[in-house]
Amino acid sequence: MSGEEFVPLSLTPLLIGIFAAVACALPGNFLVLRRQALIGDAISHVVLPGIVVAFLLTGAISAWPMMLGAAGAAVIAVILIEAIRRLGKIEPGAAMGVVFTTMFAGGVLLLEQTDTSTVHLDVEHALYGNLESLIWLDATGWSSVLDLEALAGLPVELPRMALTLVFVIAFTWLFWRPLKLSTFDEGFARTVGIRTNLLGLALVVIAAIAAVAAFDAVGSIIVIAMFICPPAAARMMTNQLEHQIGWSVGFAIASAVSGYVLAGYGPLWLGAQDAVSAAGMIATMSGVILALTAVFGPCRTRAGAPVQA
C-alpha cells in the first residue's frame, strides 16, 4: 500500500488502536497485580446508563455528551464499588458484580421507559466501535502529516486518545513509587504515609478515563481485552515490575498492529472477499499473545510468585 492510500485510510485508525491499547494496558498492570482486572469489564457495562442520561439531557447522540455521561457513570460506579466493598466487607469481585449488573440493568430500564428506546445504540457501536471508519479524508500522503490545513481534518478520536495516553503516562510516572508500594505491601505503604485508599480510587478512575475515551472509537471489546491480556502476558515474561510494564506496552502495540493488518488482509489471504472487525481481531491477537506466553513464557510456572518491585 502506497503512502497516498495508507495515510488517509489506515494511519489514523491504526494510531487510535495503538493509543487505546497502551492507555488501557498501563493501568491494567496494576489492576492485574491487585486482582482487580475485571474493573475494565465493570466500566464497560456501567457506561450505558451514562450514555442514556447524556442523551436525555442533550437530546442528541454526539461524542462529547456521550463521553461525559459515560465518564460520570464510570466514576459513580467506582465510588459505589469501593463503598460496598468497605462498608459491606465483601470481596472486590462481589462488589463489582453488584454494581455493574445493577447499573447496566438501570441503563436498559431507562432505554425502555423513555424515548431513547429508538436511538441507534446498537451492538456495533457499543462492542466493536467504529475504528475502520476513522479515516483521514483530508490527507493525500505522508506530506499531510506536516500540513496544518490537512491536520485540521483529523478524526477527533485521534487527539482525544493521544491526550488520554499522555495523561495515563503522566499519572503512572508521577505516582510510580506510591503505586508500587501500595500494590505490593499496602500495610507498609500506610506506615510511610501513603493514602492507599485514595490512591486505589485514583487508579481505578484513571482506568475509567482510559476506558471511556476508548469506548466511542474502539468499543468495549478492545477495552476489556487490553486491560487484562497484555499485562497478564507480560506477567508470564518477567518478575520485575519495570520489565512487566515494558512487555505489556510492547504486547499492546503488537496486538493493535497485527490485529488491524489481519482484519483487513487476513480474509483476502485466505481467499475471502470481505474484511473482518478490526477491534475484534485486535482483541483476538491479544488473546493469542497471552496464550503463547502462557505456554512458552519463561515465568509461566512462577506466575503466582510475587513480582519484584
Short mmCIF file of all heavy atoms in Angstrom, two decimals, residues 49-70 115-116 119 121:
data_model
loop_
_atom_site.label_atom_id
_atom_site.label_comp_id
_atom_site.label_asym_id
_atom_site.label_seq_id
_atom_site.Cartn_x
_atom_site.Cartn_y
_atom_site.Cartn_z
N PRO A 49 -25.90 3.47 31.28
CA PRO A 49 -26.79 4.50 31.84
C PRO A 49 -26.25 5.90 31.68
O PRO A 49 -27.03 6.86 31.52
CB PRO A 49 -26.90 4.10 33.32
CG PRO A 49 -25.73 3.22 33.58
CD PRO A 49 -25.47 2.50 32.30
N GLY A 50 -24.93 6.07 31.71
CA GLY A 50 -24.37 7.40 31.50
C GLY A 50 -24.66 7.92 30.10
O GLY A 50 -24.98 9.10 29.91
N ILE A 51 -24.55 7.04 29.09
CA ILE A 51 -24.85 7.44 27.72
C ILE A 51 -26.32 7.80 27.57
O ILE A 51 -26.68 8.79 26.92
CB ILE A 51 -24.45 6.32 26.75
CG1 ILE A 51 -22.92 6.17 26.72
CG2 ILE A 51 -24.98 6.57 25.35
CD1 ILE A 51 -22.43 4.97 25.92
N VAL A 52 -27.19 7.00 28.19
CA VAL A 52 -28.63 7.27 28.09
C VAL A 52 -28.99 8.60 28.76
O VAL A 52 -29.74 9.41 28.20
CB VAL A 52 -29.43 6.11 28.72
CG1 VAL A 52 -30.93 6.43 28.69
CG2 VAL A 52 -29.16 4.81 27.96
N VAL A 53 -28.44 8.84 29.94
CA VAL A 53 -28.72 10.10 30.64
C VAL A 53 -28.19 11.28 29.84
O VAL A 53 -28.84 12.34 29.76
CB VAL A 53 -28.09 10.06 32.05
CG1 VAL A 53 -28.17 11.43 32.71
CG2 VAL A 53 -28.80 9.04 32.92
N ALA A 54 -27.01 11.13 29.22
CA ALA A 54 -26.47 12.21 28.39
C ALA A 54 -27.41 12.53 27.24
O ALA A 54 -27.61 13.70 26.90
CB ALA A 54 -25.09 11.82 27.87
N PHE A 55 -28.01 11.49 26.64
CA PHE A 55 -28.96 11.74 25.56
C PHE A 55 -30.21 12.44 26.07
O PHE A 55 -30.75 13.35 25.42
CB PHE A 55 -29.34 10.43 24.88
CG PHE A 55 -30.43 10.59 23.85
CD1 PHE A 55 -30.14 11.10 22.60
CD2 PHE A 55 -31.74 10.25 24.16
CE1 PHE A 55 -31.15 11.25 21.65
CE2 PHE A 55 -32.75 10.40 23.22
CZ PHE A 55 -32.45 10.91 21.97
N LEU A 56 -30.69 12.04 27.24
CA LEU A 56 -31.88 12.66 27.80
C LEU A 56 -31.65 14.15 28.08
O LEU A 56 -32.56 14.97 27.93
CB LEU A 56 -32.29 11.96 29.10
CG LEU A 56 -32.84 10.54 28.96
CD1 LEU A 56 -33.08 9.92 30.33
CD2 LEU A 56 -34.13 10.54 28.15
N LEU A 57 -30.44 14.50 28.49
CA LEU A 57 -30.15 15.89 28.83
C LEU A 57 -29.88 16.75 27.60
O LEU A 57 -30.23 17.93 27.58
CB LEU A 57 -28.94 15.96 29.76
CG LEU A 57 -29.14 15.35 31.16
CD1 LEU A 57 -27.84 15.42 31.97
CD2 LEU A 57 -30.26 16.07 31.91
N THR A 58 -29.27 16.17 26.57
CA THR A 58 -28.89 16.95 25.39
C THR A 58 -29.81 16.74 24.20
O THR A 58 -29.87 17.60 23.32
CB THR A 58 -27.44 16.60 24.97
OG1 THR A 58 -27.39 15.20 24.58
CG2 THR A 58 -26.47 16.83 26.12
N GLY A 59 -30.48 15.60 24.15
CA GLY A 59 -31.36 15.31 23.03
C GLY A 59 -30.65 14.92 21.76
O GLY A 59 -31.25 14.88 20.69
N ALA A 60 -29.34 14.62 21.86
CA ALA A 60 -28.58 14.25 20.67
C ALA A 60 -27.53 13.22 21.03
O ALA A 60 -27.03 13.19 22.15
CB ALA A 60 -27.91 15.49 20.06
N ILE A 61 -27.22 12.37 20.06
CA ILE A 61 -26.13 11.40 20.20
C ILE A 61 -24.89 12.01 19.54
O ILE A 61 -24.76 12.02 18.32
CB ILE A 61 -26.48 10.06 19.55
CG1 ILE A 61 -27.61 9.38 20.29
CG2 ILE A 61 -25.25 9.15 19.53
CD1 ILE A 61 -27.26 8.96 21.70
N SER A 62 -24.02 12.56 20.36
CA SER A 62 -22.76 13.12 19.86
C SER A 62 -21.64 12.73 20.81
O SER A 62 -21.88 12.28 21.94
CB SER A 62 -22.85 14.64 19.73
OG SER A 62 -23.23 15.24 20.95
N ALA A 63 -20.41 12.94 20.36
CA ALA A 63 -19.27 12.36 21.07
C ALA A 63 -19.09 12.90 22.48
O ALA A 63 -19.01 12.13 23.44
CB ALA A 63 -17.99 12.60 20.24
N TRP A 64 -19.05 14.24 22.61
CA TRP A 64 -18.69 14.78 23.93
C TRP A 64 -19.77 14.54 24.99
O TRP A 64 -19.44 14.19 26.13
CB TRP A 64 -18.36 16.26 23.81
CG TRP A 64 -16.97 16.48 23.29
CD1 TRP A 64 -16.60 16.99 22.08
CD2 TRP A 64 -15.75 16.14 23.96
NE1 TRP A 64 -15.24 17.00 21.95
CE2 TRP A 64 -14.68 16.49 23.09
CE3 TRP A 64 -15.46 15.58 25.20
CZ2 TRP A 64 -13.35 16.30 23.43
CZ3 TRP A 64 -14.13 15.39 25.54
CH2 TRP A 64 -13.10 15.75 24.66
N PRO A 65 -21.08 14.74 24.71
CA PRO A 65 -22.07 14.39 25.73
C PRO A 65 -22.01 12.91 26.12
O PRO A 65 -22.13 12.58 27.31
CB PRO A 65 -23.41 14.73 25.05
CG PRO A 65 -23.07 15.77 24.06
CD PRO A 65 -21.71 15.42 23.55
N MET A 66 -21.80 12.03 25.15
CA MET A 66 -21.69 10.62 25.47
C MET A 66 -20.46 10.34 26.31
O MET A 66 -20.51 9.55 27.27
CB MET A 66 -21.65 9.79 24.18
CG MET A 66 -22.96 9.73 23.42
SD MET A 66 -22.79 8.86 21.85
CE MET A 66 -22.23 7.27 22.39
N MET A 67 -19.34 10.99 25.98
CA MET A 67 -18.12 10.81 26.75
C MET A 67 -18.30 11.27 28.18
O MET A 67 -17.91 10.59 29.13
CB MET A 67 -16.98 11.59 26.09
CG MET A 67 -16.46 11.00 24.80
SD MET A 67 -15.34 9.64 25.09
CE MET A 67 -13.97 10.50 25.85
N LEU A 68 -18.89 12.44 28.35
CA LEU A 68 -19.07 12.99 29.70
C LEU A 68 -20.05 12.14 30.50
O LEU A 68 -19.84 11.89 31.70
CB LEU A 68 -19.56 14.43 29.61
CG LEU A 68 -18.57 15.44 29.04
CD1 LEU A 68 -19.20 16.82 28.89
CD2 LEU A 68 -17.32 15.53 29.92
N GLY A 69 -21.12 11.71 29.86
CA GLY A 69 -22.08 10.86 30.56
C GLY A 69 -21.48 9.53 30.96
O GLY A 69 -21.68 9.05 32.09
N ALA A 70 -20.73 8.91 30.05
CA ALA A 70 -20.08 7.64 30.36
C ALA A 70 -19.04 7.81 31.45
O ALA A 70 -18.91 6.96 32.35
CB ALA A 70 -19.44 7.07 29.10
N ASP A 115 -37.97 7.78 25.68
CA ASP A 115 -37.99 7.83 24.22
C ASP A 115 -36.67 7.37 23.60
O ASP A 115 -36.55 7.32 22.38
CB ASP A 115 -38.28 9.27 23.75
CG ASP A 115 -39.69 9.69 24.08
OD1 ASP A 115 -40.55 8.80 24.23
OD2 ASP A 115 -39.94 10.91 24.20
N THR A 116 -35.70 7.07 24.43
CA THR A 116 -34.40 6.64 23.88
C THR A 116 -34.44 5.21 23.38
O THR A 116 -33.44 4.72 22.87
CB THR A 116 -33.31 6.75 24.96
OG1 THR A 116 -33.68 5.93 26.07
CG2 THR A 116 -33.15 8.18 25.41
N VAL A 119 -33.28 4.98 19.86
CA VAL A 119 -31.97 5.53 19.49
C VAL A 119 -31.06 4.42 19.01
O VAL A 119 -31.11 3.30 19.51
CB VAL A 119 -31.36 6.27 20.71
CG1 VAL A 119 -29.93 6.73 20.39
CG2 VAL A 119 -32.21 7.46 21.08
N LEU A 121 -28.33 2.84 19.51
CA LEU A 121 -27.26 2.38 20.40
C LEU A 121 -27.19 0.87 20.25
O LEU A 121 -27.79 0.12 21.01
CB LEU A 121 -27.58 2.76 21.86
CG LEU A 121 -27.59 4.26 22.18
CD1 LEU A 121 -28.03 4.48 23.62
CD2 LEU A 121 -26.24 4.89 21.94
#
